[in-house]
Amino acid sequence: MGKSSADEKILSYNDVVLRRSDLDILSGPYFLNDRIIEFYFSHLTFCHSSDDILFVPPSISFWIMNCPDSGSLKDFLAPLNLSSKKLVIFPVNDNDDVTEAEGGTHWSLLAFGRDASKFVHHDSYRGCNNRHARKLYETVARFMGTSNSASYDGYLDCPESPQQVNSYDCGLYVTAIARVICCWYRSDESKDASGLWFSVMKEQVTPSTVAEMRREILGLIKGLMSSQGSSVYINE
């Protein structure tokens, strides 16, 4: 497939524009890019519309973690109203080069639950992104409206996070865990004493359900393309 064809826009969904190459990623055993994760987060936002929940796009999450100026970061974050959110989901990428767009080789997820006053890091590959998630937490925590005590540590690397069985499904684990956490939050189970989602995550995020996520997201995109009158040709 030529470069111009791969770059062809095939779907506009809210503020996300998908290209032909994104379909190829979903059609094979490939690492998810920023656009696909942002698309699925936008879909979850639409399905679970709530002023309490925020799914942070990958580009915004990356900028928060790497912004060199705390003053401009405060202004940048103001429209997100982080202190009013009960549940915030951040994708974490291991890209250390701010000059490289869509860099990195691994995704994980950092979730903030206000009821538990905790940031929980879920990494599907043996804690590979622990350093990056901690950096994001340390940057954003002061904007969440939680305790400012010097002794407060609201961060946890979850030891029970489901683990991937290959080298390329980390982004799918992010989407699967994000969906489970959101559904848990909207259910009665979120009212238990722990205020966290670990038990339902262990039950529902497995290698088989994660593999199905790839087909599910691809099918979702194809359906939206059809509704917009776009071609649904997939390079299989």
Side-chain angles (χ1 to χ4, degrees):
M1 181 179 295
K3 185 177 187 296
S4 59
S5 178
D7 287 343
E8 176 191 356
K9 295 179 182 179
I10 50 89
L11 179 68
S12 293
Y13 181 78
N14 297 331
D15 294 327
V16 184
V17 174
L18 294 178
R19 301 182 182 277
R20 182 73 58 183
S21 57
D22 298 323
L23 297 183
D24 293 338
I25 288 173
L26 287 165
S27 298
Y30 303 119
F31 178 84
L32 296 196
N33 61 17
D34 294 47
R35 287 194 300 270
I36 296 172
I37 292 176
E38 183 175 1
F39 164 78
Y40 194 71
F41 276 19
S42 184
H43 168 68
L44 289 176
T45 299
F46 176 79
C47 293
H48 300 277
S49 179
S50 171
D51 291 337
D52 292 342
I53 303 173
L54 177 64
F55 292 92
V56 180
S59 59
I60 303 301
S61 184
F62 181 74
W63 177 247
I64 294 171
M65 187 166 57
N66 293 283
C67 180
D69 177 28
S70 59
S72 62
L73 180 60
K74 180 179 179 180
D75 294 336
F76 178 79
L77 291 178
L80 298 181
N81 297 314
L82 292 174
S83 62
S84 70
K85 306 302 179 183
K86 295 292 187 65
L87 178 65
V88 186
I89 306 291
F90 302 87
V92 181
N93 190 275
D94 65 349
N95 181 17
D96 288 317
D97 186 354
V98 296
T99 67
E100 183 181 1
E102 298 193 2
T105 60
H106 184 55
W107 292 105
S108 59
L109 180 146
L110 184 68
F112 171 75
R114 188 167 299 279
D115 288 345
S117 191
K118 207 76 173 175
F119 285 80
V120 181
H121 181 221
H122 293 289
D123 194 325
S124 62
Y125 197 69
R126 298 181 298 219
C128 184
N129 271 4
N130 286 356
R131 174 175 64 86
H132 299 85
R134 184 85 194 196
K135 180 181 178 182
L136 176 58
Y137 157 73
E138 291 173 351
T139 302
V140 79
R142 64 183 183 273
F143 300 103
M144 304 303 297
T146 52
S147 172
N148 291 318
S149 169
S151 62
Y152 170 74
D153 187 357
Y155 177 87
L156 171 67
D157 280 312
C158 180
E160 303 176 63
S161 294
Q163 297 295 289
Q164 65 195 79
V165 294
N166 54 48
S167 62
Y168 47 79
D169 273 349
C170 53
L172 290 172
Y173 274 81
V174 167
T175 61
I177 293 172
R179 179 174 64 180
V180 165
I181 294 174
C182 187
C183 291
W184 164 88
Y185 174 77
R186 300 297 297 272
S187 73
D188 291 338
E189 294 179 72
S190 66
K191 309 305 185 292
D192 67 19
S194 71
L196 292 170
W197 46 84
F198 296 171
S199 60
V200 66
M201 178 192 64
K202 289 174 66 176
E203 292 173 2
Q204 298 184 20
V205 182
T206 65
S208 60
T209 60
V210 168
E212 183 59 33
M213 285 293 299
R214 189 179 293 273
R215 291 185 287 272
E216 178 183 326
I217 297 172
L218 182 58
L220 177 62
I221 293 171
K222 291 168 66 176
L224 289 167
M225 290 173 65
S226 294
S227 68
Q228 294 183 10
S230 302
S231 169
V232 293
Y233 167 78
I234 309 293
N235 184 28
E236 296 178 319

